[in-house]
Amino acid sequence: MKKNIILLFIFIFTISLSLISPAARAQEAERGEGTEKIEYVLFHLETCPHCRDEIRFLEKKILPRYGEYIDLKMYEVREEGNADIFRQYGVYYNVEVGSVPLAIISGEIVSGFGTDKTTGAQILSIIETKLTEKGVDITALASAPTARPISPAFIYGGLILAAAGIWYFFKRKNRQKRAN
């Protein structure tokens, strides 16, 4: 009996490994793991209403869908050292700095923020173009639900419960045989 239980646990463990490995590889491929992230640099002021609108847009529309593909760096230009970084980006990208918000999305400049439907649409278009150039299937991301992947610990827990149920079944069956 003990030998059967040990064999059952080994069998379930082996099956679980074979199920989890392909699933993990499929999730990595779907998420485009290994894909270099696009850089999103945002210069802003805490007191700027347009800056707050862009940050809100990023938090509600962009990051939930594309956050794992974006390396977001936000600089509050009044903080020490950030004004220097602001100027350096301006020199590098040959853009006049001074007004905020100023977003630099993998080399594309977006100055100011109007609404989600205007500037937001422009930002979304740039992000989707950059991701497509990097080989990310954005149509799959847009249509896919934003569910979290199943944790391997959850799968192992379920398998252990299944094994315990099977063990209990065999134990009960043996008791019935002994009683007869």
Side-chain angles (χ1 to χ4, degrees):
M1 178 66 183
K2 287 182 182 179
K3 184 178 181 182
N4 288 341
I5 292 172
I6 292 171
L7 289 174
L8 177 66
F9 277 110
I10 291 172
F11 175 75
I12 289 174
F13 181 74
T14 304
I15 293 296
S16 68
L17 287 179
S18 67
L19 292 175
I20 291 173
S21 294
R25 284 193 301 270
Q27 285 178 352
E28 286 176 9
E30 185 177 295
R31 288 193 311 253
E33 279 195 16
T35 302
E36 184 181 324
K37 292 183 175 190
I38 61 172
E39 181 183 45
Y40 193 116
V41 179
L42 177 64
F43 294 98
H44 66 96
L45 285 171
E46 288 180 13
T47 57
C48 168
H50 299 290
C51 299
R52 287 193 302 266
D53 289 343
E54 183 166 350
I55 292 168
R56 194 173 308 114
F57 173 77
L58 289 171
E59 289 173 345
K60 291 187 178 186
K61 306 280 181 165
I62 300 296
L63 295 177
R65 186 184 299 175
Y66 301 121
E68 65 187 280
Y69 302 103
I70 296 173
D71 182 16
L72 177 63
K73 297 174 186 152
M74 295 182 17
Y75 296 99
E76 211 294 342
V77 294
R78 286 195 186 148
E79 289 181 11
E80 188 176 327
N82 288 350
D84 291 333
I85 295 170
F86 193 25
R87 283 189 290 279
Q88 289 171 359
Y89 268 88
V91 169
Y92 184 81
Y93 287 103
N94 196 25
V95 64
E96 186 177 327
V97 297
S99 62
V100 289
L102 179 73
I104 303 169
I105 309 165
S106 287
E108 299 277 337
I109 309 296
V110 179
S111 184
F113 190 84
T115 67
D116 290 7
K117 292 183 179 185
T118 58
T119 317
Q122 179 187 5
I123 289 170
L124 181 62
S125 174
I126 292 169
I127 288 171
E128 289 180 343
T129 299
K130 297 292 182 182
L131 289 174
T132 302
E133 289 171 0
K134 292 190 176 289
V136 176
D137 183 8
I138 60 168
T139 57
L141 291 174
S143 63
T146 56
R148 295 186 329 209
I150 296 174
S151 165
F154 182 77
I155 293 171
Y156 283 125
L159 290 171
I160 289 171
L161 285 175
I166 293 169
W167 174 76
Y168 177 75
F169 172 77
F170 282 117
K171 184 176 178 182
R172 195 170 140 214
K173 193 173 181 179
N174 276 346
R175 281 187 190 166
Q176 287 176 351
K177 282 184 183 179
R178 288 181 194 162
N180 291 335

